[in-house]
Amino acid sequence: MKRANLCHITFTGIDARTDVRALHEIQREFPIAEFGVLVSNNWKENGNRFLDPKLIGCLRRRQNEKRLNLALHICGSAAHDAANGHWDKVDEQLTLFRLGLFQRIQLNIAGRKDNPVTVCPPCYPNQEVIIQQKSIDDMHVYLNSMRIHPNMFSVLLDASGGRGIDTPIRVLDHPGHKVGYAGGFTPDNAGDKLSYLLEQDTNDFWIDMETGVRTEGWFDLNKVVKVLQICKLVLDDHRKGGEK
């Protein structure tokens, strides 16, 4: 059996209260951690988890700092613009890509019906792009309709849509591409969900959580660290099992 490989543990929704220095400390201890930045044209109306685009520059690497593992999660009309190839419009409105901060860009486009032109920003031809959909069936329909594939893309199954609803995991086998799983991950269940995924004969994968690592609406670094500690134990046990 092929052994599934965990590539990232993503914590989405860093906000105005998040201590960037603490993110660096967490990443030094847990290099597998990735931090998701939610953006939207209507970010002011969408709550604390959407970062003011003017604050994104604060995530730049400073002297002697390793670059943060960052993923840009584009939502709403901006995500639809990007999926239709209008990356210049997105950058004009949100001034994001020229910062060169993001290793991965996720388009939250679940439920869209029109066929995408391209999902690869022309200014970054090797940029990893993540396509988000709510179900395996929706994902297959969307991928089959794509007229131009980027050089590198991954897919995220997110039945919860950032609402924190614990949803059953259905494993997607999409050869050659990483697959992400989201939907109600919390410090209480992340270990069990990760253990299940590690036992599957599937692609390289990652897990993503948003609501489950917030407290009273704000990004909670204590919950982030707890998840990482639990997942490290699971990964260590899994590796020991594979060596027997």
Side-chain angles (χ1 to χ4, degrees), residues 82-155:
N84 281 317
H86 304 305
W87 292 88
D88 55 340
K89 184 177 180 181
V90 178
D91 198 23
E92 180 183 347
Q93 293 171 331
L94 295 172
T95 317
L96 300 169
F97 308 125
R98 66 196 68 174
L99 295 173
L101 292 172
F102 305 101
Q103 289 89 345
R104 307 203 296 160
I105 297 177
Q106 178 171 308
L107 303 184
N108 289 340
I109 47 180
R112 58 174 289 125
K113 302 299 182 183
D114 51 323
N115 294 344
V117 176
T118 176
V119 290
C120 187
C123 48
Y124 297 103
N126 297 314
Q127 175 73 58
E128 180 178 348
V129 175
I130 305 165
I131 305 300
Q132 176 246 17
Q133 292 289 333
K134 289 188 175 181
S135 71
I136 288 178
D137 293 337
D138 289 344
M139 186 67 74
H140 282 309
V141 169
Y142 189 83
L143 295 178
N144 289 337
S145 73
M146 287 171 61
R147 286 183 277 164
I148 299 177
H149 286 206
N151 293 340
M152 183 188 305
F153 76 95
S154 304
V155 295

Side-chain angles (χ1 to χ4, degrees), residues 5 35 37 57 81 105 117 158-159 178 210:
N5 178 49
F35 305 104
V37 180
D81 285 337
I105 297 177
V117 176
D158 183 10
K178 287 185 294 187
E210 186 175 326

Side-chain angles (χ1 to χ4, degrees), residues 194-210:
L194 176 57
S195 294
Y196 172 78
L197 285 165
L198 287 168
E199 295 303 324
Q200 305 308 304
D201 180 12
T202 187
N203 311 64
D204 289 348
F205 72 97
W206 79 96
I207 57 177
D208 182 301
M209 57 208 75
E210 186 175 326

